[in-house]
Amino acid sequence: MCGFVGFLGQPERAASEALVAIVERMSEAVRHRGPDAGGTWADPLCGVALGHRRLAVLDLSPAGHQPMASRSGRYVVAYNGEIYNHLEIRHEIDAAQATPPGGPWRGRSDTETLLAAVEAFGVCDSLRKFVGMFAFALWDRQDRVLYLARDRLGEKPLYYGWQGQTLLFGSTLAALKRHPAFRAPVERSALTAYLRHGYVPAPMSIYQDIHKLPAGTFLAVGPGGKQGRPQPYWAMREVAERGQARQFQGSEAEAVDTLDRLLRQSIAGQSVADVSVGAFLSGGLDSSSVVALMQAQSSRPVKTFTIGFDEPAFNEAVHAKAVARHLRTEHTELTVTSEAARTVIPRLPALYDEPLGDSAQIPNVLVSQLARQQVTVCLSGDGGDELLAGYNRYFRSMQFWSQMGGLPVGMRNALGSLLGMVPPHRWNALIRAAGPLLPARHRDASPSDKVRAVSHFLRAKGPDDLFRFLASLWPDPVRVARGAPEPRTLLNEPCQWPALSEPEHRMMLVDATTYLPDDILVKVDRAAMGVALETRAPFLDHRVVEFCWSLPLPLKIRDGQGKWVLRKLLERYVPAELTDRPKMGFGVPVGSWIREPLRDWAENLLDERRLRQEGYLDPAAVREKWNLHLSRRHDFSHPLWAVLMFQAWQEAQ
């Protein structure tokens, strides 16, 4: 786990020291990702330079130093991530030829394996062989071609873009900004997309002409800057469509056995390191399954880590502690006050050098800080929700549509419009007056928000439309962002959704190709790397992913709950009563924070004159939601947090 940077420009007649000075300055922006060592490499005759910061995890010796040249000298790489099967690839190379090209192995690092694989098999075939998480920049000195590549699921970041005649690339936007050619302004259409999604969806970034390399692709830039489009070597959509066309035919018990075996294989590979390894444990199904299988393969107690909060509604620590006690892990729990959690907020713009509107970034930073005190690598349960139907929005969409979708379209539209015409405060007063007569689950603090959702649901064209509404922070972002239309993304273009028969599978695939790489994995990577902690996600081993997409829907959703096959797997290791509860998520009460202790901070960022002067957001639309939130008649914490994070990011630039 590391960070890298680089650029490809015009051939330089100046000494290589000039290029090295620039790339060293860029590398300083990723020092937090790799505090153990740093290195640079430059070829002024080609105008190319690479910089690297290392967090040593495999082969802690200088033999793992980067940028690294292949044994023949043809290739030079700067690389971030881990190739878990690199020893198997070494054995394949050794079997094909007596020694790697140019001589024997120099060390035990997977970086050296990567280079040898490229020399033996080529770039594309090597990528298909790799099992892992990675992003890299590879320079071919013979053909003068630069390759940029990213892992299948998008666990590791890679930004790139032309600034004038110079191609910049690296692990963070902050690193690109340190190159003297960087002039990119904010991309307004990306801001519009950010307001809908709560993140900037790939391939966009928040800056014009700077892109994220999509997951599962590589890009080749030839002599003279000749560049094609990113080329896929693995695609989630193809995997999903193929898996559902050729579904798993075994019994339910065989499905559980297969998932058990594949996750064990993934966890075994991801537990290999020359440093200490632990795991995050929330007490939910995903992290509990990872820890259970990790402990089952370990001869000593696994180190597990949980953050607790003093607000009971947001505190999962008690559940994690019960699971840890049953599995006999070496458990560390830290209860954090709201005041302590809020101290993280000023650091977010620097950690997330692109706006991210997911407030779960706060507990992710805190639990990463806790884990880094004892370990250098931590396994997580990320990916289970998207692969095995864990999100409530899948069920809410289908439940509502099964109840109301059969009504005539005209009747649903009329009823939806009628509900929308009643002022929110009237709904609040009416429902609160009837509160004693209603079931507890319907006594909501902001009942008009539920009515507003029902009004929209009634006018929806189908379950896909319902899902789109539930996954959108600002359902009409063009009204909020000034000066740009909304770009086409998978979420807002249902006609581009894959050919999967069940709506739930279509929703899962949209999440797996957008929300997972651009929100969940960004949130975890930046939080962990901010304290030089490597995170690994066993569910995202592509062999696990491909198996999960082959499972029929009843093995994922049953009796109104998702993750059926995972529940059955976990019951082999942990009693169901310890994990069988409604999904909580991993959040903090930002809605109440911005009304009370953080109100001055929020008011400053949302000041009407400031918004008007900056020119990015419509003051009237923002202030309308802010005032309604302050009135306590509505909870608009999620869309407001996205705006606040953009404003805080902009202030920090």
Side-chain angles (χ1 to χ4, degrees):
M1 183 73 72
C2 308
F4 69 89
V5 299
F7 57 89
L8 174 63
Q10 297 300 304
E12 298 282 348
R13 293 202 176 112
S16 63
E17 286 80 359
L19 276 69
V20 168
I22 294 173
V23 82
E24 282 182 340
R25 187 162 63 246
M26 296 172 70
S27 295
E28 282 300 305
V30 294
R31 176 180 284 271
H32 60 285
R33 297 182 69 91
D36 295 334
T40 59
W41 178 89
D43 183 349
L45 295 179
C46 297
V48 63
L50 300 174
H52 187 266
R53 293 296 316 184
R54 185 183 185 200
L55 175 65
V57 172
L58 284 175
D59 191 352
L60 310 187
S61 75
H65 187 76
Q66 296 186 49
M68 182 184 291
S70 64
R71 192 66 179 172
S72 71
R74 176 176 175 177
Y75 297 100
V76 182
V77 73
Y79 154 62
N80 165 30
E82 303 289 347
I83 297 173
Y84 305 123
N85 66 330
H86 87 100
L87 292 179
E88 289 87 343
I89 292 173
R90 285 193 176 203
H91 294 153
E92 183 179 354
I93 293 171
D94 289 342
Q97 51 198 43
T99 59
W105 300 103
R106 293 165 290 173
R108 298 183 296 105
S109 75
D110 56 343
T111 311
E112 187 181 358
T113 308
L114 185 159
L115 288 164
V118 169
E119 290 205 295
F121 311 118
V123 173
C124 190
D125 285 346
S126 294
L127 288 168
R128 293 192 177 105
K129 290 178 181 292
F130 295 158
V131 176
M133 55 175 188
F134 52 82
F136 63 76
L138 178 81
W139 176 246
D140 182 343
R141 301 176 72 184
Q142 176 179 298
D143 294 340
R144 295 192 174 188
V145 175
L146 174 72
Y147 293 95
L148 303 177
R150 197 171 178 210
D151 64 71
R152 294 173 178 82
L153 278 298
E155 291 187 67
K156 296 295 100 190
L158 180 47
Y159 295 94
Y160 73 98
W162 289 94
Q163 293 290 278
Q165 294 183 308
T166 303
L167 177 68
L168 308 179
F169 52 88
S171 300
T172 70
L173 290 170
L176 273 59
K177 290 173 63 179
R178 293 199 177 189
H179 192 284
F182 189 91
R183 297 287 187 276
V186 170
E187 174 58 72
R188 289 180 179 267
S189 62
L191 173 58
T192 309
Y194 165 75
L195 291 172
R196 177 179 293 282
H197 295 75
Y199 53 86
V200 179
M204 294 180 288
S205 86
I206 195 62
Y207 290 114
Q208 281 184 24
D209 302 319
I210 304 295
H211 313 286
K212 301 182 184 81
L213 187 67
T217 70
F218 71 95
L219 177 69
V221 183
K226 184 179 180 181
Q227 173 185 319
R229 293 182 178 180
Q231 298 297 311
Y233 63 90
W234 188 91
M236 180 79 78
R237 178 172 184 153
E238 292 179 6
V239 167
E241 291 178 344
R242 184 171 60 249
Q244 286 302 296
R246 305 170 186 170
Q247 288 186 354
F248 177 80
Q249 296 299 311
S251 67
E252 293 177 349
E254 288 170 334
V256 177
D257 289 341
T258 303
L259 182 59
D260 191 319
R261 175 178 57 81
L262 289 172
L263 279 175
R264 278 176 174 265
Q265 174 184 262
S266 175
I267 289 166
Q270 296 191 22
S271 298
V272 175
D274 293 331
V275 294
S276 53
V277 180
F280 298 134
L281 178 60
S282 70
L285 291 170
D286 302 332
S287 65
S288 296
S289 297
V290 169
V291 171
L293 292 172
M294 192 177 179
Q295 187 62 74
Q297 299 177 83
S298 176
S299 60
R300 62 183 64 181
V302 172
K303 293 179 181 290
T304 54
F305 304 92
T306 299
I307 287 289
F309 294 96
D310 54 7
E311 293 92 341
F314 295 87
N315 185 29
E316 286 192 291
V318 62
H319 307 297
K321 188 174 183 178
V323 172
R325 185 184 301 114
H326 178 80
L327 294 174
R328 298 182 178 180
T329 69
E330 185 180 327
H331 191 58
T332 301
E333 174 189 321
L334 176 66
T335 300
V336 180
T337 65
S338 293
E339 183 178 358
R342 292 193 298 271
T343 62
V344 170
I345 294 173
R347 298 168 48 203
L348 296 178
L351 283 172
Y352 296 86
D353 59 355
E354 188 172 50
L356 181 67
D358 187 339
S359 62
Q361 58 201 158
I362 297 171
N364 271 272
V365 170
L366 293 167
V367 76
S368 296
Q369 290 176 172
L370 177 67
R372 188 61 179 91
Q373 295 172 17
Q374 298 185 45
V375 300
T376 306
V377 175
C378 235
L379 274 59
S380 79
D382 293 311
D385 287 315
E386 292 81 3
L387 296 175
L388 295 168
Y391 291 128
N392 292 330
R393 53 180 175 248
Y394 307 147
F395 308 106
R396 291 179 63 189
S397 299
M398 295 308 300
Q399 182 181 26
F400 187 91
W401 193 251
S402 66
Q403 294 171 346
M404 306 298 291
L407 294 177
V409 174
M411 180 183 297
R412 286 194 288 107
N413 286 336
L415 183 56
S417 298
L418 182 63
L419 290 175
M421 292 172 59
V422 179
H425 67 276
R426 294 284 179 85
W427 283 118
N428 287 339
L430 177 63
I431 295 175
R432 283 171 183 160
L437 304 177
L438 296 174
R441 66 181 183 276
H442 294 309
R443 299 173 197 166
D444 195 85
S446 302
S448 61
D449 292 344
K450 297 290 179 65
V451 175
R452 177 177 60 90
V454 171
S455 172
H456 180 93
F457 278 21
L458 285 166
R459 288 173 283 182
K461 299 176 182 178
D464 294 346
D465 201 22
L466 299 177
F467 169 78
R468 179 172 174 261
F469 173 76
L470 289 171
S472 299
L473 293 186
W474 292 81
D476 188 12
V478 175
R479 179 172 172 251
V480 189
R482 304 177 78 173
E486 184 174 6
R488 297 178 64 180
T489 66
L490 188 60
L491 180 62
N492 62 27
E493 292 282 339
C495 61
Q496 301 298 319
W497 289 14
L500 299 173
S501 58
E502 293 102 344
E504 295 94 335
H505 270 141
R506 294 197 296 272
M507 298 173 197
M508 289 162 59
L509 186 60
V510 171
D511 275 340
T513 52
T514 57
Y515 180 62
L516 176 63
D518 295 332
D519 183 306
I520 299 296
L521 298 180
V522 169
K523 177 175 60 184
V524 174
D525 175 82
R526 307 308 191 272
M529 291 312 300
V531 293
L533 176 74
E534 174 172 301
T535 53
R536 301 175 176 180
F539 280 101
L540 299 186
D541 183 308
H542 72 277
R543 297 164 296 188
V544 175
V545 172
E546 290 168 0
F547 172 70
C548 288
W549 275 116
S550 76
L551 293 174
L553 197 62
L555 291 182
K556 299 171 186 174
I557 299 176
R558 193 172 298 189
D559 301 325
Q561 290 184 313
K563 304 181 183 176
W564 182 87
V565 67
L566 187 63
R567 291 175 191 275
K568 294 303 174 185
L569 184 158
L570 186 55
E571 286 175 9
R572 298 177 172 182
Y573 305 93
V574 178
E577 58 266 22
L578 296 184
T579 59
D580 190 9
R581 63 182 186 280
K583 183 176 179 62
M584 288 182 65
F586 194 27
V588 288
V590 295
S592 60
W593 287 359
I594 60 177
R595 285 192 187 109
E596 296 167 358
L598 293 179
R599 180 165 177 175
D600 289 345
W601 169 78
E603 284 282 11
N604 177 57
L605 293 173
L606 303 180
D607 179 76
E608 185 172 355
R609 288 172 298 179
R610 175 176 180 166
L611 293 171
R612 186 175 295 109
Q613 182 178 4
E614 291 168 344
Y616 289 109
L617 301 171
D618 180 78
V622 172
R623 296 296 302 187
E624 177 187 22
K625 263 198 171 41
W626 176 233
N627 290 328
L628 287 170
H629 184 78
L630 290 177
S631 73
R632 300 177 183 272
R633 296 197 299 264
H634 297 269
D635 181 4
F636 288 133
S637 54
H638 296 307
L640 287 170
W641 186 255
V643 169
L644 288 166
M645 284 296 97
F646 172 73
Q647 289 293 97
W649 171 85
Q650 186 184 187
E651 184 177 64
Q653 303 311 299

